[in-house]
Amino acid sequence: MDRKTTGIVAYLTWVGLLIALIVGDREGAKFHLNQALVIWMAGLLSVIPFIGWIWGIFCFVCAVIGFIGAINGEEKEVPLLGQFKLLK
């Protein structure tokens, strides 16, 4: 997969993130892979009642923002979660 496709697939689901990490262009799409990983990991907190549900909506909105950025080929950080770097 090329850089743009890898970035797009990473935001779709956990499975998409794993496929993008294994098959995709890791160096070219490192920014979007990192963003998607942080968003999906933060989304795990959405199982907490009430506050977690609001957090889950926030994570979904961040995923949509990142997905649109990947489609447009931009490397724009998502709010609040974009500052975390898990992949080097």
Side-chain angles (χ1 to χ4, degrees):
M1 285 189 287
D2 65 339
R3 177 180 160 215
K4 186 173 182 179
T5 306
T6 302
I8 292 169
V9 170
Y11 288 106
L12 295 179
T13 61
W14 274 102
V15 176
L17 178 63
L18 291 175
I19 290 170
L21 282 170
I22 294 169
V23 180
D25 179 14
R26 289 165 95 189
E27 288 303 314
K30 187 183 291 186
F31 176 82
H32 289 292
L33 288 172
N34 183 64
Q35 294 268 111
L37 180 62
V38 169
I39 291 168
W40 290 118
M41 287 183 69
L44 293 174
L45 296 174
S46 66
V47 297
I48 301 169
F50 304 114
I51 295 175
W53 300 335
I54 295 169
W55 181 255
I57 293 170
F58 172 74
C59 288
F60 177 75
V61 170
C62 286
V64 170
I65 292 170
F67 182 74
I68 292 170
I71 289 172
N72 293 331
E74 301 171 350
E75 290 189 358
K76 183 178 176 186
E77 291 184 348
V78 295
L80 191 63
L81 300 174
Q83 62 190 355
F84 298 104
K85 307 289 185 239
L86 297 178
L87 300 175
K88 300 285 178 184

